[in-house]
Every structure is written in structure tokens, then in C-alpha cells.
Amino acid sequence: MKAAYINQTGPAENIVVGELPAPTPTGSQVLVHVGAASVNPIDTYIRSGLAPMPNMPFPFVIGSDLAGVVTAVGPDAKRFRVGDRVWGANEGKLGRQGTFSELAAVDEQRLYATPEHVSDEQAAALALVGITSHLGLVEHAQLQPGETVLVNGGSGGVGSTVIQMARAIGATVIATTSGAEKMEYCRTLGANHVLDYRHDDVPKRVAELTGGVDVWWETSRMPNFDAIFAAMKLRGRVILIAGRASRVEFPVGAFYTKCLSLHGFAMFLASAEVQRQAAEQISEWLEAGKLHAKIDRVALLDDAAELHRLQEASDSGAIRGKLVVKM
Amino acid sequence: MKAAYINQTGPAENIVVGELPAPTPTGSQVLVHVGAASVNPIDTYIRSGLAPMPNMPFPFVIGSDLAGVVTAVGPDAKRFRVGDRVWGANEGKLGRQGTFSELAAVDEQRLYATPEHVSDEQAAALALVGITSHLGLVEHAQLQPGETVLVNGGSGGVGSTVIQMARAIGATVIATTSGAEKMEYCRTLGANHVLDYRHDDVPKRVAELTGGVDVWWETSRMPNFDAIFAAMKLRGRVILIAGRASRVEFPVGAFYTKCLSLHGFAMFLASAEVQRQAAEQISEWLEAGKLHAKIDRVALLDDAAELHRLQEASDSGAIRGKLVVKM
């Protein structure tokens, strides 16, 4: 089968596109004929070695997300049958092969039914960012209907998903981004208020608009805790998911005297059961049209290295949505 | 009645000990003949103005904790009767008068029954530190039996209470302190392991002893997040309750890649109902002999200013336990 893989961690040039033996599903695995996969920042960290994964198999197929059709089932698989459409978000981790291949053997506990009217491209583009957003808002921040969420960086892959999901939960959403075009995009996603972080005094505007926020979702790798804590209501929760190499100042008094909490997580460390709860609600929202991924481009497996380079240049505005591969 | 009070915020010299009119209990207040009160760091911050309190009445009676006997009840009071022994932890805040007085009018929702065999000195000494410790371990860290707690600064007022409470909940406790005498004290409180933070490599020793901690209770005003995060297990919780003016470095990657959470709080902002749940378990533990306060000295109301000066010098080792006033 055709696959994009690496023989050792390193730069995007290490990615080889070529033939690998097709896997055979064992135990509770099913074999998925991959229709689409997408690129996430974590894929580039795993490929480069910045995020070391234990027991990484080589050649290592890159990629976390997939959507496709079940073509064979292992002897202990019970959830799915041949022909079922499925999606998943959590391959290529902790000794498992990734998803940038024509066929992927995936444990059925990490696969979810794709709703009938949702394309593989949409399901693959929303997989990892969707489960990440859901875990952050529901599992960690315990967001309640009627609360206010601020998404700092609302036009990116995770940020745009968090806006839609927070609205689906019934929260008021303030998004920040930069420039008129991205601000308008955040509005189309459902943000109630949109601020330009280059020009607006965010804590001041937040105070005027809503009197403070209950949940702050940080997408920047350099969180400004002074501004964040100033914008929070009493008992607010801050979600942190990026900034592997960042060191920033932390104002202790502003944090504890407001009874705040700060929650960090890496979605792939959540249990299969917790991820499934998130995934099932995501499937419902997809079916109901409440979640939609903005896709920058749909490319071919041959373009895998170029897609990684684009993802790595995302801070400079190189991409405007998810990078998707169609098999 | 005799009371220790201030006419304006400022240094300990502002404390006046003299006569004030006795309060009359209104609504659901009861009048408490105060048997004992104790000094907490927050009392010195409120007195100095470092922790500004809205609607502070002047003359303002200092003090948060009290234990004593009900001598009169307001028209709507239902929980207590004249002669009942009670304790409380949360006066002198948000427009309320404090406890360093012969009589205090306190809403009954913030008072709890003192167990029969527990002295007023013990109840007053354990009041604020007890509720703080309980809220941190139970409400915020959600400590489970069998987990491991590290108490950084185990021999202080809060630290010594956290050790005993974590053991009562069924956790394994690692305490840090400095010097042989304080290390032995932490052992007598029930700590399973005691480290000297001046000499031990705490994260390394924690890894050897327990493979990491589930809950880190920080008492230092300058938390060392590098050491803390290095010592944590996946999904660990860090409790932060001090350091009003501190700014420290925060290593973002070490935090979120371990799925950690950080919880700050000021106990007096918790609801009366949440505080009552904590207080009722504290009363049970007091009765069962599972909690005991180390009292540095029992002084008189006339010594109030001197007690505040001692509390403010606590970092230099001026005191070895709670400062208690007996009326």
C-alpha cells in the first residue's frame, strides 16, 4: 500500500512516500481504507522528534486523524462491520502507526461512526481538533450553558472549532484574532463578539462586553497571564494546550485571589472511554450541521512533506484552515 | 466590651485595644462570647491594607477565627441556642467585623458546633487553616484515598493541617520542611516521608519514593514550577494559596504535556454551604482526635499588636505554631 512515512525523526524532508506492506487487523482492530487524513501541529512535533513518543515503530507512518471505510475486521472486533464509515483522531502515538496510508489497522475502541451526510474530508479535518476542543470545554473547563468563553486565537484550527462547540453548548463566545477578514470569519462561526488582539485592550473590552469570562481558551504558545487573569471572572477556568518550549511570567496573586484554575492537557493521553464520549457528541453535532471545518486545501499523499512545511509555517499565516489529504 | 481594632489600615501599631459598644444580634446572627481567637496571615494583610476589603467598617475589629459560647440569638436564628459552643473561620471580611473582641455577632450560617472534648483554643486555632486545607484537598484537588500528596512547607499553620487531613482522607503524604526538628514534627503529624528542601533534590526523591505525586500543596509564596511539575504524576493537581505579590516563571510545556491542573483560591470567597461541608468534617476529625493544632502561644487581647508583628515575622522563624488569644 502507498504510505507517507519516516525512517527516523527529523525535518519534513525525512518524509518518504512509497510502498509499505499492508497491515492485517488483529484482536479488536479493524482495517480502514483511508478516505482522508489531516495535518495537526502534533504530527510535525512527532515527526521532528520535539514530542518524543515511546516505542515508535519504524518505518513510521505519519498522521493522527483519519476517516474512511472498514474493509476487514479483526477476530475480536465487535463495534464495526465491513462497509461502515468511521473516523478517528488518535493514531500515530504511543507505539501506534499513523494514518497517512491507504490502509490503517486501528483498534475499534478509537473509531467512531461517521454520520451519513458528512464527508471524509470534514470528518478527518475535525477529528483531533474536535476531540481536543470537546475535552477542553467539557472535561476540563466543565463549561455550562450561559457561561462566557473567550477563545484567544479564534480563527485557527482548534480556535475555530472551540467557537462552534462553545456555541453548541449554549455559551456566549468572545473570539480574538487579527484583521478584518479573520474577524468576519469568527463571526460566521458564531462568535457573539470579536476583538482584534493587535489593537484592542482585551481585558478592558471583555469587562465592558460581559463583565469577565468564565472560560479562557488559550491557543497562543506564549500565554499572557496578566491579561488572561485580568479578564477572568471569579472561579474562572483557563485552558492551555500549546507552548511546549515556552516560559512565561505567572502573577501568583492575580491567580489565586480570584479562585482561578488552569488546566493543561494533551488529548492523546485521555482514556479511550473519555475520548469516545467526546467523539459521540461531535458526531451528533456534525450530523446536525453545528460543526464545520474550514479546509485550506485538499492535497495528495505525495504532498505530505510540503503539507508539513506549510503546517510549520502556520504562525506566519501560510495556511487558512486545515490541511487535508485525500487518498 | 473589650476589643482589638483599627481606625484605619496600616502597620501593627494601628491596633488599638479598648472598649467598643457590644453588638446586638440581628436577623440570623447569634451573639458569641468569644473564648479564643487566632491569628492568620490574611488578618495582617487586611489590617495593613495589602488585601483591600470592600465596605470595611471602622472602627474595624481584627481577626477571622473564633470559638466560644452563644449568649444570645437573633430573631431568625434557628441552628443554635444560648449555651451552645460554636466555632467559625470567616469573620472580618467583606464588610463584616472581626473576632478579636469579647463579643461577636456572627451569622449562624458561618458557625459550627464545637465538639465536646475540644477546647476553644484548639477550635479557634484550626478554624481558618482547617477550612482552607479541606477546601484545597477536597473541593479543588478532589483528593482520593490512596493518592499521594506532597505538602511543600509541612510544618507551618496550613501545611501541618494539610498533612493531618490528607492522612485522614487516606492519602500517602510526603512533607518538606527544613531542619531535623521540623522534620520530626512532620513525622509526628503523620507524614509518611519527610524531605529537607534545603538539601534534598525534591523531584528526584519523590520519583524514588512514590513515582510522583497526585496533589502538590504549595505553601511558599514563590512556587518553583519547574520542580513542582517535575514531581507530578500525569493528571496531577497543584494547589496555590499564597504569594499575593509574587511573579514566577511558568514552564508551559511541562505543565500541559502532563495534563496537570493548577488551582488557586481564597477560602473566604467560597460559599457558606461549601464552607459548612468542610467545617462539619473538620468537627468530626477534631472529635476523633485526627486533627490537632500546634499552638506557639496563648496570649491576651492586649498583646494583639505584638501577635501581628510576630505573624509578620513568621518567615524568619519567629513562631512555631498558631498564635492564639484567650479572652
Side-chain angles (χ1 to χ4, degrees):
Chain A
M1 65 167 186
K2 195 169 178 179
Y5 61 90
I6 56 174
N7 289 307
Q8 58 181 42
T9 57
E13 290 68 49
N14 283 22
I15 297 173
V16 179
V17 179
E19 288 293 318
L20 287 181
T24 304
T26 59
S28 54
Q29 288 181 329
V30 306
L31 191 66
V32 180
H33 187 271
V34 180
S38 75
V39 182
N40 292 288
I42 183 77
D43 302 335
T44 67
Y45 306 152
I46 292 173
R47 184 217 73 224
S48 72
L50 180 64
M53 280 290 155
N55 310 316
M56 206 167 167
F58 289 103
F60 172 75
V61 177
I62 62 174
S64 305
D65 289 336
L66 82 166
V69 179
V70 173
T71 60
V73 299
D76 304 324
K78 293 185 184 78
R79 286 181 183 271
F80 298 107
R81 291 189 294 187
V82 170
D84 285 349
R85 294 183 63 216
V86 293
W87 66 277
N90 206 353
E91 302 316 294
K93 316 271 166 60
L94 307 172
R96 304 193 290 271
Q97 289 288 359
T99 60
F100 272 49
S101 53
E102 289 175 308
L103 296 165
V106 180
D107 195 295
E108 64 171 5
Q109 70 174 335
R110 291 190 307 276
L111 289 171
Y112 323 107
T114 308
E116 190 179 347
H117 302 293
V118 176
S119 69
D120 283 350
E121 289 86 342
Q122 277 289 316
L126 276 164
L128 188 144
V129 294
I131 293 184
T132 300
S133 302
H134 196 281
L135 292 181
L137 289 177
V138 178
E139 175 84 1
H140 295 281
Q142 297 183 27
L143 178 65
Q144 303 300 315
E147 289 194 316
T148 298
V149 178
L150 187 141
V151 187
N152 196 36
S155 55
V158 170
S160 60
T161 312
V162 173
I163 292 174
Q164 297 174 72
M165 221 173 254
R167 292 287 288 146
I169 290 169
T172 297
V173 175
I174 304 172
T176 76
T177 186
S178 61
E181 190 189 336
K182 289 183 187 167
M183 290 176 78
E184 182 52 31
Y185 173 52
C186 290
R187 281 186 202 98
T188 67
L189 294 170
N192 303 79
H193 309 283
V194 184
L195 305 177
D196 189 326
Y197 55 65
R198 293 177 311 184
H199 305 301
D200 285 312
D201 179 336
V202 173
K204 184 161 167 272
R205 293 286 293 130
V206 163
E208 289 163 3
L209 289 166
T210 63
V213 301
D214 299 290
V215 174
W216 179 294
W217 188 295
E218 183 61 51
T219 71
S220 161
R221 290 196 289 273
M222 291 293 287
N224 178 343
F225 284 129
D226 288 292
I228 296 172
F229 300 162
M232 302 303 290
K233 284 185 188 164
L234 270 187
R235 286 177 269 278
R237 294 86 74 194
V238 180
I239 299 292
L240 215 56
I241 55 155
R244 204 164 272 271
S246 303
R247 297 182 72 83
V248 296
E249 278 224 327
F250 186 93
V252 177
F255 177 74
Y256 85 86
T257 59
K258 270 189 162 175
C259 305
L260 304 179
S261 61
L262 185 59
H263 304 260
F265 68 100
M267 71 78 91
F268 70 89
L269 295 174
S271 73
E273 185 49 36
V274 165
Q275 293 206 34
R276 174 169 298 282
Q277 287 167 18
E280 287 176 354
Q281 193 161 24
I282 290 166
S283 284
E284 283 172 29
W285 284 333
L286 277 169
E287 177 115 63
K290 292 184 177 178
L291 274 182
H292 186 82
K294 186 176 180 185
I295 292 174
D296 175 276
R297 72 194 69 184
V298 179
L300 298 173
L301 203 51
D302 293 309
D303 304 316
E306 176 61 13
L307 296 182
H308 268 224
R309 278 188 287 265
L310 282 166
Q311 182 67 49
E312 290 176 312
S314 63
D315 279 355
S316 59
I319 53 176
R320 293 166 173 242
K322 291 289 288 182
L323 302 171
V324 172
V325 161
K326 197 168 181 175
M327 298 299 157
Chain B
M1 65 168 187
K2 195 169 177 180
Y5 61 89
I6 56 174
N7 289 307
Q8 58 181 42
T9 58
E13 289 68 49
N14 284 22
I15 297 173
V16 179
V17 179
E19 288 293 317
L20 288 180
T24 304
T26 59
S28 55
Q29 287 181 329
V30 305
L31 191 66
V32 180
H33 187 270
V34 180
S38 75
V39 183
N40 292 287
I42 184 78
D43 303 335
T44 66
Y45 306 153
I46 291 173
R47 184 217 72 226
S48 72
L50 179 64
M53 280 290 153
N55 310 316
M56 207 166 167
F58 289 103
F60 171 74
V61 177
I62 61 173
S64 305
D65 290 336
L66 82 166
V69 180
V70 174
T71 60
V73 298
D76 304 325
K78 293 185 184 79
R79 287 181 182 271
F80 298 106
R81 291 188 294 187
V82 171
D84 285 350
R85 294 184 62 219
V86 294
W87 65 277
N90 206 355
E91 302 316 295
K93 316 272 166 60
L94 307 172
R96 303 193 290 270
Q97 288 287 359
T99 59
F100 272 49
S101 53
E102 289 174 307
L103 295 165
V106 180
D107 195 294
E108 63 172 6
Q109 69 173 336
R110 293 190 307 276
L111 289 171
Y112 323 106
T114 308
E116 190 179 348
H117 303 294
V118 176
S119 68
D120 282 350
E121 289 86 342
Q122 278 289 315
L126 276 164
L128 187 144
V129 294
I131 293 184
T132 300
S133 302
H134 196 280
L135 291 181
L137 288 177
V138 177
E139 175 84 0
H140 295 281
Q142 296 182 28
L143 178 66
Q144 303 300 314
E147 289 193 316
T148 298
V149 179
L150 188 140
V151 187
N152 197 36
S155 56
V158 170
S160 61
T161 312
V162 173
I163 292 174
Q164 298 173 73
M165 223 173 252
R167 292 286 289 147
I169 290 169
T172 298
V173 175
I174 305 172
T176 76
T177 186
S178 62
E181 190 188 337
K182 288 183 187 167
M183 290 176 78
E184 182 53 31
Y185 172 50
C186 290
R187 281 186 202 99
T188 66
L189 294 171
N192 303 80
H193 310 283
V194 184
L195 305 176
D196 189 326
Y197 55 65
R198 294 178 310 185
H199 305 302
D200 286 312
D201 179 337
V202 173
K204 183 162 168 271
R205 293 287 293 132
V206 164
E208 291 163 2
L209 289 167
T210 63
V213 301
D214 299 289
V215 174
W216 179 293
W217 187 296
E218 183 61 50
T219 71
S220 162
R221 289 195 289 274
M222 290 293 286
N224 177 342
F225 285 130
D226 288 292
I228 295 172
F229 300 162
M232 302 304 290
K233 285 185 187 163
L234 270 186
R235 286 176 268 278
R237 292 88 74 195
V238 180
I239 300 292
L240 215 57
I241 54 155
R244 204 163 272 272
S246 302
R247 298 181 70 84
V248 297
E249 279 225 326
F250 187 92
V252 178
F255 177 74
Y256 85 86
T257 59
K258 271 190 163 176
C259 305
L260 303 180
S261 60
L262 185 59
H263 304 260
F265 68 101
M267 72 78 91
F268 71 88
L269 294 174
S271 73
E273 185 48 37
V274 165
Q275 294 206 33
R276 174 170 298 281
Q277 287 167 17
E280 286 176 353
Q281 194 161 24
I282 290 166
S283 284
E284 283 172 29
W285 283 334
L286 277 169
E287 176 116 62
K290 292 183 176 178
L291 274 182
H292 186 82
K294 186 176 182 185
I295 293 174
D296 176 276
R297 72 194 69 184
V298 179
L300 299 173
L301 203 50
D302 293 309
D303 305 316
E306 175 61 13
L307 296 181
H308 268 224
R309 278 188 286 266
L310 281 166
Q311 182 67 50
E312 290 176 311
S314 63
D315 280 355
S316 60
I319 52 176
R320 293 166 173 242
K322 291 289 286 181
L323 301 172
V324 172
V325 161
K326 197 168 180 173
M327 298 299 156

